[in-house]
Amino acid sequence: MDYIDAHIHIADCKDWKDLPDVLVCSSTHSLDEFLFVEEKARQNPQRIVVSFGIHPQNPDVKLFPLLEKLAVERRIAAIGEVGFDLFTLDLAATWGKQEEVWQLQIDLAQKYELPLVIHCHKAMDKIFLYSKDLTKVPAVVFHAYPGSCQEAVNLMGRGINCFFSFGKELLRGRKNSIHCVKSLPIERLLAETDSPYQTLRNQGESRPDEIKDVYKEFALIRGVNYEELKEPLARNFHRIFSCSR
């Protein structure tokens, strides 16, 4: 596979078309989304893996039995997106519910040895409170990693098997993200589109094929040919999600 998109939302992409040279992990957060993406994965078993999680923007504990069922039946490759989102006052008001579903999901990830895909917005300090719990999870993917390079180094130093994924924020020139891609070990990096959500200015929707633009920006930042990124980023993805190559 030429390209890896570590985080995408296939069910939300308009007129989704399979990309023959891209392997993706698609997050889902409802039964309808999951069934849609699971069927796509059946049709393309070498191109799509599926995660399911209770998103912090909708911390509905009633979704937990479904998540647990999918984990027990081994129908998901990861639990996610999960985490914390305190970006607005309304979201911050749900902190108690966010924490409740986070704890349930981190316990489930430990029990069934599943990776976690983390969404964190204005809440990196909360992640550090759970660093001991995260060391007991097989792998932790920070989708659209929002923290600093030093925080990433700190997380790795605490014994967490963590990976840091970046997408359109590189094309937007976000300094912290660029510094992370430039400085962190390649063995800890991933690329993503977060399609259809991560967009550039005046762009209505992010397209799945823009993963190639992300790879090119990665290469420019690291000072290598983008062809040189394909093998290490694919290796990282397979380490996390236990995909057969």
Side-chain angles (χ1 to χ4, degrees), residues 23-40:
L23 169 62
V24 308
C25 178
S26 180
S27 284
T28 60
H29 302 290
S30 71
L31 178 59
D32 287 345
E33 283 183 359
F34 173 78
L35 292 175
F36 177 84
V37 178
E38 184 181 49
E39 180 57 30
K40 293 294 183 184

Side-chain angles (χ1 to χ4, degrees), residues 1-71:
M1 206 62 62
D2 285 340
Y3 298 93
I4 300 294
D5 189 338
H7 194 85
I8 192 170
H9 299 266
I10 288 176
D12 297 333
C13 293
K14 293 179 181 177
D15 301 319
W16 163 260
K17 295 179 181 178
D18 301 315
L19 301 174
D21 56 350
V22 183
L23 169 62
V24 308
C25 178
S26 180
S27 284
T28 60
H29 302 290
S30 71
L31 178 59
D32 287 345
E33 283 183 359
F34 173 78
L35 292 175
F36 177 84
V37 178
E38 184 181 49
E39 180 57 30
K40 293 294 183 184
R42 284 199 188 103
Q43 297 168 8
N44 299 278
Q46 302 303 315
R47 297 179 189 168
I48 300 171
V49 298
V50 191
S51 68
F52 186 96
I54 306 174
H55 199 287
Q57 292 178 357
N58 180 36
D60 185 355
V61 72
K62 293 179 182 178
L63 289 168
F64 184 74
L66 171 59
L67 170 59
E68 186 169 31
K69 181 176 187 292
L70 298 177

Side-chain angles (χ1 to χ4, degrees), residues 29-163:
H29 302 290
S30 71
L31 178 59
D32 287 345
E33 283 183 359
F34 173 78
L35 292 175
F36 177 84
V37 178
E38 184 181 49
E39 180 57 30
K40 293 294 183 184
R42 284 199 188 103
Q43 297 168 8
N44 299 278
Q46 302 303 315
R47 297 179 189 168
I48 300 171
V49 298
V50 191
S51 68
F52 186 96
I54 306 174
H55 199 287
Q57 292 178 357
N58 180 36
D60 185 355
V61 72
K62 293 179 182 178
L63 289 168
F64 184 74
L66 171 59
L67 170 59
E68 186 169 31
K69 181 176 187 292
L70 298 177
V72 170
E73 295 175 355
R74 293 291 173 181
R75 293 167 69 184
I76 50 176
I79 296 175
E81 301 167 49
V82 305
F84 304 110
D85 195 322
L86 306 180
F87 185 65
T88 67
L89 289 176
D90 286 344
L91 287 169
T94 68
W95 159 247
K97 292 181 179 179
Q98 290 187 40
E99 190 174 37
E100 178 185 6
V101 296
W102 161 266
Q103 189 64 65
L104 287 170
Q105 291 178 104
I106 202 170
D107 291 345
L108 200 68
Q110 293 171 10
K111 182 176 180 180
Y112 292 101
E113 298 183 326
L114 286 167
L116 279 178
V117 178
I118 290 183
H119 169 110
C120 181
H121 209 168
K122 300 293 184 182
M124 278 302 296
D125 57 322
K126 307 299 183 186
I127 297 296
F128 280 96
L129 295 176
Y130 291 91
S131 57
K132 287 186 179 180
D133 287 330
L134 291 174
T135 63
K136 301 172 185 176
V137 175
V140 177
V141 177
F142 286 91
H143 139 64
Y145 176 63
S148 68
C149 190
Q150 185 54 51
E151 286 173 319
V153 171
N154 193 326
L155 288 165
M156 291 187 291
R158 295 180 181 220
I160 302 168
N161 185 27
C162 46
F163 298 81

